[in-house]
């Protein structure tokens, strides 16, 4: 794999995405809202009276998980545009006529969706952690963030979720012809995460280190399986003769 | 430069290209003509290693199509202009070319030189920073041709380069292709435009899933239609027709006051014909050489 070629594809996609304001802002606005909105909820909860430390910690861990959902959904907008956008502009054929391999093109497109999403997520989580620490220090007596749980969320669960989201989107992109439909179908990606959140809320699971490790293992397995499936889908002949 | 032997492509039960055999020499401009669905685009896609062949063999330069090890090498020495130009509307003309230059690993210095050269040559230099989305169809087509040349390919594949362009834009694109022809590049051109094929191509092939005919445009016309001399007279009568018939076993058609005679060597035969008609009392207004257009030849072949 020639990483320089993959990077060329990624930077080209990033240049286009920067010009597509709706996609660009979608990647920035949702994380920004969460980085301020979630600490605001903590503030409201604390204003209503002291809550037990265990419940507060459970709430904060649940909030950490929101960033996984956010990241997986944010990347869909970019990855949908990255592939379906090329289909709409009919620019895939000249791209496929270059010496780049299918894997290099696919990897470049994955990077284009991954980089802005992960950067936006890390920036918003940093703001969230600072604000939350300020708000909860008085009650907990220590800075809750950073901790191992959020580190797991940021450096393991979130990247794996974004990768899965991108791979799923390659499969979706092969079947649809407009970016909006691809984004809507890609949003299916959020369902398993919402289910996990609901299971945590009704007390069937707890969002602790063990759970996040288990989620990571499942995501990794799904990433590997979908990698092979998306590689099969993203082939020159498939794209030119079978993609709708 | 391009050699195909019995090249075949099947999609399930549909044969898109059937036993195509053709050879294109280095520096030659070869035009592939054919109706929609004849397999022209499929042929180009196979030759550009975009889709696999079902049967036969093909080579570009010294590289074998279908050989996995050669695919990237083939793609690096060819330039493809697909039917849909497929430029990035959100990017500028300069960035579109720069991106493809990078994809073909053209060194930065060379890339800058070539981009400037082509954009100036095509009259797009002043608009180099404008989004391609603001360009007219003709400008986009020119830019797309520049894109195919950014890595200085040995072989160019142009799929309907003037389709959907207005006459002025078509002419600009055609003139640009003629400039490329002067540079002795090997060009493989798919077109519906027979006039374009006749003006640009050294040889043409007529494809209808199978290759129906291949030759120089003028040879195709001659071999399939023959040469005809048309003589406009005051009036055609039996004596004139008989006088002409006595000169040779030619096919003679009468159309009003015109005699249309199928000849083989007009330079030698026309003076005798004119002489015979004069002696038979005919008064000649005009003598003209009738050549079928490539369109006539194409329609005859495709319909048969």
């Amino acid at each position: 794999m020639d990483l320089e070629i993959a990077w060329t594809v990624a930077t080209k996609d990033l240049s286009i995405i920067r010009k597509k304001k709706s996609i660009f802002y979608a990647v920035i606005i949702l994380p920004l809202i969460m980085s301020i909105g979630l600490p605001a909820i903590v503030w409201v909860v604390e204003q209503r009276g002291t809550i037990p430390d265990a419940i507060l910690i459970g709430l904060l861990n649940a909030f950490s998980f929101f960033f996984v959902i956010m990241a997986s959904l944010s990347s869909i907008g970019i990855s949908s545009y990255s592939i379906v956008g090329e289909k709409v502009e009919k620019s895939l054929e000249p791209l496929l006529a270059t010496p780049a391999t299918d894997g290099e093109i696919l990897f470049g497109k994955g990077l284009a969706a991954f980089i802005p999403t992960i950067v936006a997520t890390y920036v918003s989580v940093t703001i969230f952690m600072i604000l939350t620490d300020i708000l909860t220090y008085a009650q907990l007596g220590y800075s809750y963030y950073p901790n191992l749980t959020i580190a797991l969320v940021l450096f393991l669960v979130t990247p794996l979720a974004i990768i899965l989201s991108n791979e799923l989107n390659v499969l979706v992109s092969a079947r649809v012809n407009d970016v909006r439909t691809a984004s809507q179908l890609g949003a299916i990606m959020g369902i398993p995460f919402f289910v996990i959140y609901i299971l945590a809320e009704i007390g069937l699971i707890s969002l602790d280190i063990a759970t996040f490790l288990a989620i990571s293992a499942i995501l990794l397995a799904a990433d590997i399986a979908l990698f092979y499936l998306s590689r099969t889908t993203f082939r020159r002949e498939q794209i030119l003769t079978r993609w709708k | 430069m391009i050699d195909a032997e019995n090249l075949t492509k099947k999609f399930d039960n549909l044969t898109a290209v059937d036993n195509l055999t053709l050879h294109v020499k280095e520096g030659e401009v070869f035009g592939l003509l054919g109706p929609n669905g004849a397999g022209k685009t499929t042929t180009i896609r196979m030759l550009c290693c975009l889709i696999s062949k079902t049967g036969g063999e093909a080579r570009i330069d010294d590289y074998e199509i279908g050989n996995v090890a050669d695919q990237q090498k083939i793609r690096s020495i060819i330039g493809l202009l697909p039917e849909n130009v497929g430029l990035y509307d959100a990017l500028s003309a300069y960035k579109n070319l720069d991106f493809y230059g990078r994809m073909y690993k053209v060194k930065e210095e060379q890339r800058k030189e070539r981009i400037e050269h082509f954009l100036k040559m095509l009259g797009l230099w002043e608009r180099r920073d404008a989004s391609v989305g603001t360009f007219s169809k003709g400008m986009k087509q020119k830019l797309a041709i520049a894109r195919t040349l950014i890595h200085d390919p040995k072989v160019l594949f142009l799929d309907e380069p003037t389709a959907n362009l207005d006459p002025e834009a078509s002419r600009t694109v055609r003139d640009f292709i003629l400039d490329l022809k002067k540079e002795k590049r090997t060009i493989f051109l798919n077109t519906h435009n027979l006039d374009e094929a006749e003006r640009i191509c050294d040889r043409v092939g007529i494809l209808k899933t199978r290759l129906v005919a291949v030759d120089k445009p003028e040879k195709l016309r001659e071999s399939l239609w023959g040469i005809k001399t048309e003589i406009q007279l005051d009036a055609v009568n039996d004596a004139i027709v008989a006088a002409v018939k006595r000169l040779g076993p030619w096919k003679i058609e009468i159309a009003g006051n015109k005699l249309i005679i199928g000849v083989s060597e007009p330079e030698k035969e026309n003076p005798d014909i004119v002489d015979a008609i004069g002696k038979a009392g005919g008064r000649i207004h005009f003598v003209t050489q009738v050549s079928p257009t490539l369109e006539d030849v194409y329609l005859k072949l495709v319909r048969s």
Side-chain angles (χ1 to χ4, degrees):
Chain A
M1 163 121 17
D2 186 331
L3 292 177
E4 191 186 332
I5 291 289
W7 182 243
T8 301
V9 173
T11 49
K12 183 269 295 174
D13 275 6
L14 288 169
S15 299
I16 293 174
I17 288 158
R18 267 207 307 274
K19 305 234 166 149
K20 303 280 173 186
K21 302 292 178 208
S22 58
I23 299 169
F24 184 63
Y25 289 134
V27 176
I28 291 177
I29 288 171
L30 186 59
L32 192 69
I33 290 170
M34 285 183 63
S35 64
I36 297 166
L38 295 179
I41 294 170
V42 173
W43 180 76
V44 170
V45 168
E46 291 214 318
Q47 290 301 305
R48 294 176 66 183
T50 308
I51 58 167
D53 286 1
I55 293 177
L56 180 62
I57 288 167
L59 184 67
L60 296 180
N61 284 348
F63 283 173
S64 308
F65 192 64
F66 277 11
F67 286 98
V68 178
I69 300 174
M70 177 206 76
S72 63
L73 294 180
S74 291
S75 72
I76 286 166
I78 302 175
S79 59
S80 297
Y81 192 82
S82 171
I83 298 175
V84 183
E86 295 243 21
K87 271 172 87 175
V88 173
E89 289 192 333
K90 300 188 189 301
S91 51
L92 272 173
E93 190 167 355
L95 180 63
L96 297 173
T98 66
T101 63
D102 299 340
E104 284 157 3
I105 295 171
L106 196 55
F107 185 58
K109 293 199 161 291
L111 279 178
F114 185 86
I115 292 167
T117 311
I118 205 81
V119 169
T121 305
Y122 285 179
V123 169
S124 67
V125 170
T126 305
I127 297 168
F128 163 76
M129 288 193 298
I130 293 167
L131 293 177
T132 306
D133 277 345
I134 292 168
L135 292 168
T136 58
Y137 189 83
Q139 179 176 340
L140 297 174
Y142 63 96
S143 294
Y144 185 71
Y145 293 119
N147 58 31
L148 189 58
T149 312
I150 197 83
L152 263 181
V153 167
L154 286 182
F155 300 116
L156 198 60
V157 185
T158 305
L160 289 171
I162 297 172
I163 291 167
L164 187 68
S165 176
N166 291 342
E167 289 171 345
L168 185 73
N169 210 266
V170 173
L171 302 180
V172 170
S173 298
R175 303 275 165 215
V176 301
N177 271 325
D178 70 285
V179 178
R180 189 169 292 177
T181 311
S183 298
Q184 285 165 352
L185 283 172
I188 291 167
M189 176 70 199
I191 293 172
F193 294 114
F194 283 117
V195 170
I196 291 169
Y197 177 73
I198 290 164
L199 291 177
E201 279 302 299
I202 59 176
L204 285 176
I205 58 169
S206 65
L207 291 172
D208 52 18
I209 290 171
T211 308
F212 283 130
L213 281 172
I215 292 169
S216 301
I218 295 166
L219 282 173
L220 183 64
D223 280 350
I224 292 166
L226 276 188
F227 171 76
Y228 286 107
L229 211 54
S230 58
R231 278 295 294 269
T232 314
T233 307
F234 198 88
R235 281 189 182 156
R236 281 174 162 80
E237 181 142 10
Q238 285 272 107
I239 293 167
L240 293 172
T241 59
R242 305 271 180 203
W243 281 27
K244 287 178 180 172
Chain B
M1 181 58 79
I2 304 171
D3 297 292
E5 292 284 344
N6 299 317
L7 190 65
T8 300
K9 179 67 186 177
K10 290 181 180 178
F11 295 106
D12 301 323
N13 295 324
L14 174 83
T15 303
V17 177
D18 190 8
N19 285 300
L20 173 71
T21 296
L22 60 83
H23 305 280
V24 180
K25 291 186 290 243
E26 190 172 353
E28 187 179 15
V29 180
F30 184 86
L32 198 57
L33 310 173
N36 290 333
K40 302 188 299 294
T41 298
T42 303
T43 301
I44 277 193
R45 285 178 171 177
M46 279 192 284
L47 294 173
C48 292
C49 300
L50 287 171
I51 58 173
S52 60
K53 59 188 170 63
T54 314
E57 288 175 6
R59 299 181 76 83
I60 291 190
D61 209 0
D62 289 326
Y63 304 114
E64 192 185 334
I65 285 159
N67 180 350
V68 179
D70 284 352
Q71 288 201 4
Q72 274 181 284
K73 286 170 190 160
I74 290 172
R75 284 201 288 262
S76 67
I77 60 161
I78 61 161
L80 168 68
L81 174 73
E83 198 173 346
N84 297 299
V85 290
L87 293 160
Y88 298 108
D89 280 355
L91 298 182
S92 67
Y94 194 98
K95 284 195 170 168
N96 264 280
L97 295 187
D98 188 60
F99 167 65
Y100 275 94
R102 284 168 192 266
M103 291 300 284
Y104 285 102
K105 297 211 155 193
V106 180
K107 287 183 182 151
E108 191 178 354
E109 196 108 318
Q110 227 171 11
R111 209 164 62 227
K112 283 180 180 171
E113 270 175 30
R114 284 189 194 158
I115 293 172
E116 186 174 342
H117 168 73
F118 286 124
L119 289 180
K120 281 184 174 168
M121 187 180 179
L122 293 164
L124 297 172
W125 181 246
E126 301 304 319
R127 299 285 309 274
R128 64 187 177 277
D129 294 323
S131 292
V132 169
T134 64
F135 282 19
S136 68
K137 269 186 183 173
M139 289 161 80
K140 283 184 180 179
Q141 196 78 357
K142 286 193 286 183
L143 185 63
I145 294 178
R147 179 188 64 197
T148 65
L149 293 164
I150 197 71
H151 56 298
D152 196 20
K154 283 186 174 180
V155 185
L156 276 183
F157 288 94
L158 308 177
D159 197 356
E160 306 281 358
T162 57
N164 307 317
L165 295 183
D166 62 50
E168 196 186 345
S170 292
R171 187 177 181 150
T172 312
V173 170
R174 205 161 42 232
D175 289 346
F176 188 52
I177 298 170
L178 285 168
D179 286 341
L180 296 174
K181 185 178 176 177
K182 285 179 201 154
E183 292 175 11
K184 295 283 171 200
R185 284 183 197 269
T186 309
I187 301 175
F188 190 102
L189 176 84
N190 272 359
T191 184
H192 274 119
N193 189 328
L194 304 167
D195 178 49
E196 177 177 287
E198 187 141 30
R199 285 195 215 180
I200 297 175
C201 301
D202 297 315
R203 285 190 309 141
V204 294
I206 296 175
L207 186 72
K208 203 176 148 190
T209 307
R210 299 178 73 95
L211 194 62
V212 182
V214 58
D215 213 329
K216 291 179 178 175
E218 63 273 19
K219 292 275 179 195
L220 268 185
R221 284 202 307 261
E222 283 177 24
S223 64
L224 290 160
W225 199 275
I227 305 165
K228 290 179 181 176
T229 296
E230 184 181 286
I231 301 172
Q232 173 80 49
L233 296 151
D234 253 359
V236 177
N237 57 42
D238 292 345
I240 292 169
V241 174
V244 174
K245 275 187 177 170
R246 274 196 295 275
L247 293 173
W250 300 315
K251 190 182 172 199
I252 301 171
E253 295 167 49
I254 301 165
N257 289 336
K258 280 184 202 166
L259 274 183
I260 302 162
I261 308 158
V263 293
S264 47
E265 291 179 276
E267 296 85 358
K268 285 183 186 173
E269 294 157 349
N270 283 354
D272 293 341
I273 294 170
V274 169
D275 196 35
I277 291 172
K279 283 178 182 165
R283 274 172 58 85
I284 296 170
H285 292 186
F286 307 107
V287 178
T288 30
Q289 193 69 48
V290 182
S291 273
T293 61
L294 190 58
E295 186 176 338
D296 295 326
V297 175
Y298 169 82
L299 290 173
K300 188 175 176 181
L301 284 168
V302 166
R303 283 174 183 163
S304 67

